Each structure stands twice: as C-alpha cells, then as structure tokens.
Amino acid sequence: ISEEERDEFDYRYPDGTVRLRNPHIELMDQDILYHLALGSESHDLVEMFGDVKFVCMGGTPKRMENFAHYIMKEIGHKLPTGTSLMDISQYSYRYSMYKVGPVLSISHGMGVPSIGILLHEVIKLMYHAKCKDPIFFRIGTCGGIGLEGGTVVISDDAVDGMLNNYYEVPMLGKLVRRPAKLDKRLVRELKALSDVEDPYDTVTGTTMCAIDFYEGQGRLDGAFCEYSETDKMDYLENLNKHGVKNIEMEVIPFAALTHHAGIRAAVVCVSLLDRLKGDQVCSPKEVMNEYQSRPQKLVAKYIKRQLQMK
Ligand code: R2B
Ligand code: URA
C-alpha cells in the first residue's frame, strides 16, 4: 500500500472507527435513521451492529436477501436456533437490510438520490455502532461497453455523463463537489480473486454513472428520443475511448461519500448487455439470475478470505 493510498483513507479514528464530518450529530439527544427504521436511542446500535465489517449494497431487496443467505452459507454463519433471517428495516418500507454476522446486506434502490440518502444513514450507523474499518461494496448490474453480457466489471474510476469525476450536489444554493474516488488496492485485491476458469471475463475500468436509464445512457428505446443512432454510437465510442467500460446509476455518490467518510469501498457490477449492440435488456430470467450471482461470488470470496485471515 502506497503512501498516497493510505492518505486517502485515513479520515478515521486511530482505532478504525468511523469519524463523522458533522459536528452536529454528537450534540443531538438522539439520531433517527429514518429510512432504515432505526434510532440511536430506540436501538442499542453498538450491540446490534458493532461487529459489522462488511456492508454490501445492491439495487433490489430480493437480490440482497439472496445475498444474505448466500454469504451465510459461504462464511458458515449460524443464526441463533429458532431464529430466521429478518429484514431489519422492513418498517421503513424504503430499504431492506439483513445482517449475517459481520456482513450487512442492504438494498439501495435505483439511482443517485436513493443511494445517497442510504449512504448518509449507513455511514452514521457505522459511527453510532462504533464499527471498526468497515468496507463497503456495491454488487450491481450495468450495461457494458464493448463487453459481452455476463462480464464482471470492477470499477477503478467513476465519471458522470459529462465525464466529470466528482459528485456535485447543490447545497444552500451553491454547487459543492466531492471527488469520486475508489480504493485502488481493493480493486487489485478483488481482481486477483477472479478465477481464470470462470466462463466469463472479470475486468477493471472506469464506470459511468448516469442519472437516467434511458436518455441519460444514450438509449434509443425510452419514451422520448431526440438524437439519432449515429449520435448514440458516437457518444458510446467516445466513452469507450476514455476508458469507460460500463454504465450504471450509483457509482458517483457511492465512491464520493465513502471516500469522504474515509471508508474503503468497491463497486462490482455484471454487465447485462453490450450497449454497442443494443439497448433492450432481454436475456431470459434464468440467465439474468446467474449473471447477477457473479459479482456476489467475487465479493463473498473476498469476505471469506478476510475472515479467514483473522
Ligand atoms: C443498474 O441497474 C439499475 C437500472 O436498471 C440501476 O440501479 C443500476 O445502477
Ligand atoms: N443498469 C443500468 O443502469 N444500465 C444498463 O444498461 C443495465 C443495467
């Protein structure tokens, strides 16, 4: 690990616990994590979450429930007898959250605002629970650029639809920018775990974060389209030239907010289709489900290795 890499993720207390860049929180009587249906006074967050080491996020509640069951099997975690896996945030009716020993599996919904709100609350959860050196993963889906459907992409950089590599948020009438940086060491470690025997490729590259699925990703099949197929192909080819390997909808806030909090994080997505060849997602359900298990396998392998090293 280089000096530069270390410096980037040192916004933590020496014991590895998460430090908040917000002086107001510790002055409050209680902090309600509204969209998680949790609170710092209503729940013993240290008792409930203090042992969390890995936070895995993905778009849909079902995928994250499946991941929770899968990781439970992989790390050999046993639930207390007579209990079953429960959605801790079910009464938020917003996100789903499952806990399997040191692993949290949480759905983030679609797009920048949805994952942004969740990240505020999960980063505060790490702080309240005094979690040490938690690592965040997004296991998701994407459209590939010049990559066959089923290819796994580990993001080593993030850009938005204008090729800017920062998260820009209007605050108090001003635009505030935060660099969208990912942990390069984590990228290397994940890449090294990919199996050459896999019947699909695992690549690293820049991921573009769109704020829309259709026109925001140059699709021709939305309800509206006022550009030509040539315009679309020129745009995608230009992205490709800039090293963009895939397009999804959350990487910018995910990279920027974890980095701002000093939390190591990685994004691993499976490409559902090659955007140079089409726009519609039309693989059969079984194929799609198998595709979606690929990022989960890689992240589970990483978690397993980390736990065995202890
Ligand atoms: C990938 O898939 C979703 C859109 O279908 C979005 O959440 C994303 O990033
Ligand atoms: N998710 C996206 O955001 N885009 C795609 O093309 C596929 C999945």
Side-chain angles (χ1 to χ4, degrees), residues 75-277:
I75 66 176
H77 182 80
K78 296 268 184 304
L79 296 173
T81 39
T83 67
S84 59
L85 214 48
M86 285 280 295
D87 176 358
I88 298 166
S89 297
Q90 62 172 318
Y91 294 112
S92 74
Y93 303 102
R94 294 287 182 185
Y95 307 106
S96 288
M97 174 159 71
Y98 298 88
K99 183 173 182 299
V100 177
V103 183
L104 275 187
S105 182
I106 318 175
S107 68
H108 61 57
M110 278 191 287
V112 171
S114 185
I115 197 168
I117 294 164
L118 178 67
L119 282 164
H120 273 276
E121 295 185 11
V122 175
I123 291 167
K124 289 197 294 174
L125 178 61
M126 297 295 104
Y127 161 77
H128 289 303
K130 303 191 188 329
C131 298
K132 290 194 177 151
D133 299 311
I135 301 183
F136 283 28
F137 294 100
R138 168 169 137 67
I139 39 188
T141 61
C142 64
I145 299 184
L147 300 174
E148 223 184 290
T151 305
V152 173
V153 183
I154 307 166
S155 310
D156 61 11
D157 254 312
V159 294
D160 65 13
M162 304 297 290
L163 292 175
N164 298 315
N165 58 357
Y166 48 77
Y167 181 35
E168 189 169 66
V169 187
M171 288 181 210
L172 311 183
K174 292 198 186 86
L175 289 173
V176 174
R177 290 180 183 177
R178 295 198 176 129
K181 287 192 187 176
L182 289 158
D183 185 325
K184 301 271 164 127
R185 172 160 62 110
L186 199 48
V187 172
R188 287 197 301 272
E189 289 169 344
L190 286 164
K191 178 73 171 73
L193 287 180
S194 67
D195 193 339
V196 287
E197 304 277 294
D198 282 336
Y200 53 87
D201 287 334
T202 298
V203 303
T204 61
T206 303
T207 298
M208 180 189 128
C209 182
I211 59 157
D212 168 51
F213 185 80
Y214 291 99
E215 293 167 285
Q217 300 189 17
R219 281 187 154 80
L220 301 170
D221 61 346
F224 312 99
C225 185
E226 279 134 34
Y227 43 77
S228 68
E229 180 166 12
T230 315
D231 297 336
K232 165 196 160 176
M233 294 312 289
D234 288 348
Y235 179 64
L236 294 182
E237 292 294 358
N238 186 51
L239 291 178
N240 204 355
K241 227 174 54 206
H242 282 83
V244 176
K245 292 275 191 299
N246 61 338
I247 306 178
E248 47 81 278
M249 299 180 63
E250 292 86 13
V251 68
I252 286 273
F254 183 83
L257 298 183
T258 52
H259 180 254
H260 203 50
I263 291 172
R264 301 179 68 206
V267 177
V268 184
C269 289
V270 67
S271 145
L272 300 181
L273 77 168
D274 183 356
R275 289 299 317 289
L276 300 180
K277 296 194 181 125

Side-chain angles (χ1 to χ4, degrees), residues 11-13 16-20 123 126-127 130-131 134 261 263:
Y11 196 79
R12 273 173 295 193
Y13 290 111
T17 54
V18 175
R19 187 155 134 200
L20 285 187
I123 291 167
M126 297 295 104
Y127 161 77
K130 303 191 188 329
C131 298
I263 291 172

